[in-house]
Structures are given as structure tokens and as C-alpha cells.
Amino acid sequence: MQVPLAKAGQERLVAAVRKLTDRFGPRPPGSAAEADAARYMQQAFAEAGLAAELQPVEVLTRPYLPRMIALGLLIVGAILVASVPPLATIFALAGLLLLFSETGASPIASRYLPTRTSYNVLAKRPSEGPPLRTVVLVAHLDTAQPTLFTGPKVAMIERQSFLFAFNAGLIILVLGVIGSLASVGGLWWAGLVAGLYLIFHLTIEVHGVLHLPSS
């Protein structure tokens, strides 16, 4: 009996995913489609006998913007590293701080950018006996804005691409500091290479926003 039950469960899961995909389509955070999908899931949980509710949360209207601003600051730093090292240092430091902060729990730019309301769907089932522990199952309801760094077939590149961009920024920062104290000589070529990579990275980000659908 276990095999048919497992198969039936799989079919229900596939049907639910297909309904989310076909009925609501792409669901960027804070979009009307995501809100409709959240209400649908709340109703589905309620029909399954769970205590379900919607939890409003604020999300960025353009979540990719802080990263693009950080990359832009680093690129300006790369352009200035050979001619105005102190200014290049300032731009590189600002770009690195912004890039690093947006990946952590204390973002710098995100708190000042426009937001809109998104929803978490919370469904609770009480224990049938004395509770031993609380188990939390989590899944994404929204769909993300992909780039060529984050597509399904190249997902492993995402972390490496971030590290490359951060390291390129560090190179520019170090060259800016050295250039502010002494002549960098031929080392400015390292800043040029780092800047070219950052331009490539930013181009990939812009391409994803302009040409790739939510995935």
C-alpha cells in the first residue's frame, strides 16, 4: 500500500506546482501574482484543516538595485585608480561596503529604497499529543529574477561570481590606497583588469533584468 500512497502524494505535489505555475505564472516578490498565489495557498491550507494566515512583509521593489549600485561604484573606482587614487579609494570602499552589507543582515542601501508589500503564508498544525519539538517546513512562493550567473544550469557559478566581484573590488581598493601613498607604477593594469571584470559582471546583471523572465 505504501507505493500507491507515495505515488498519489507525488501526483498531488506536481498538480499543486503546476497550478501555481499555470494559473499565476511568474510571481516576483510584492507583485499582484504573488499576492494571488499567497491567498490561494492560504485557502488550500485552510481546506486541509490547518490554521492558515497571511503575514505581510515589506520587500524591495527592485531587489537587484543595491548590487548594481555597488558594482557601479567599484567600476568608477577602477576608472579613477590611475589618475585620482584617493578618490578611487573612496569609491572602492563604498562599493565594497555596500556589496558586503547587502548580503548580510544589516543592509545599507535597501532600507532607503522603495518597497512594496509581500506575504508569507503561515500554516500551523498543532501536535496530536504532548509536543516534543516544533518543526518548521519552508518553501519559496515567489519567483526570483535570474541572471546568466543564477540560471538553473549554472547555479554553482553564483557564489563564485560574487567572490570574483568582491575580490576585484579589493584589488581596486588596495591599488587606490597604494596610489594615495606612492606611485603604483605598472600595477594600475591590475585595476584595469578588475574594472573590466566588474563591467562584465554588471552587464550580466542588467541583461537578466531586461531580458530574462522571473524563474
Side-chain angles (χ1 to χ4, degrees):
M1 291 295 294
Q2 290 183 350
V3 173
L5 285 173
K7 184 177 181 180
Q10 292 173 7
E11 290 175 349
R12 285 197 300 272
L13 288 173
V14 171
V17 172
R18 183 174 290 116
K19 181 170 289 187
L20 282 172
T21 304
D22 296 343
R23 179 174 173 180
F24 302 105
R27 302 173 299 281
S31 65
E34 188 210 29
D36 291 341
R39 285 188 284 269
Y40 162 75
M41 289 304 303
Q42 180 190 25
Q43 180 181 354
F45 283 135
E47 291 174 353
L50 304 178
E53 62 178 294
L54 295 181
Q55 179 189 62
V57 293
E58 292 299 308
V59 298
L60 286 180
T61 304
R62 295 176 176 82
Y64 49 82
L65 195 55
R67 189 168 59 250
M68 289 185 174
I69 294 173
L71 293 173
L73 291 171
L74 293 175
I75 291 170
V76 173
I79 294 172
L80 296 174
V81 74
S83 57
V84 194
L87 199 55
T89 302
I90 294 173
F91 275 97
L93 184 59
L96 285 173
L97 286 175
L98 183 57
L99 196 62
F100 184 76
S101 72
E102 292 299 324
T103 63
S106 300
I108 295 175
S110 295
R111 65 186 67 183
Y112 302 109
L113 295 175
T115 62
R116 56 190 174 191
T117 302
S118 177
Y119 294 95
N120 292 326
V121 186
L122 305 180
K124 301 177 182 180
R125 185 176 70 179
S127 173
E128 297 178 355
L132 299 178
R133 62 180 61 88
T134 298
V135 179
V136 181
L137 306 178
V138 182
H140 275 283
L141 180 64
D142 60 342
T143 52
Q145 174 61 61
T147 70
L148 296 179
F149 287 141
T150 61
K153 295 183 179 180
V154 292
M156 293 297 292
I157 300 177
E158 182 177 11
R159 177 177 172 81
Q160 285 83 346
S161 65
F162 173 82
L163 291 176
F164 285 157
F166 196 82
N167 288 334
L170 283 177
I171 291 172
I172 296 166
L173 177 62
V174 170
L175 290 176
V177 172
I178 294 174
S180 299
L181 301 175
S183 175
V184 296
L187 289 177
W188 71 273
W189 281 101
L192 175 62
V193 173
L196 289 175
Y197 172 76
L198 291 167
I199 292 173
F200 165 74
H201 193 114
L202 181 59
T203 301
I204 295 295
E205 298 274 352
V206 173
H207 168 269
V209 171
L210 295 180
H211 299 292
L212 298 181
S214 295
S215 172

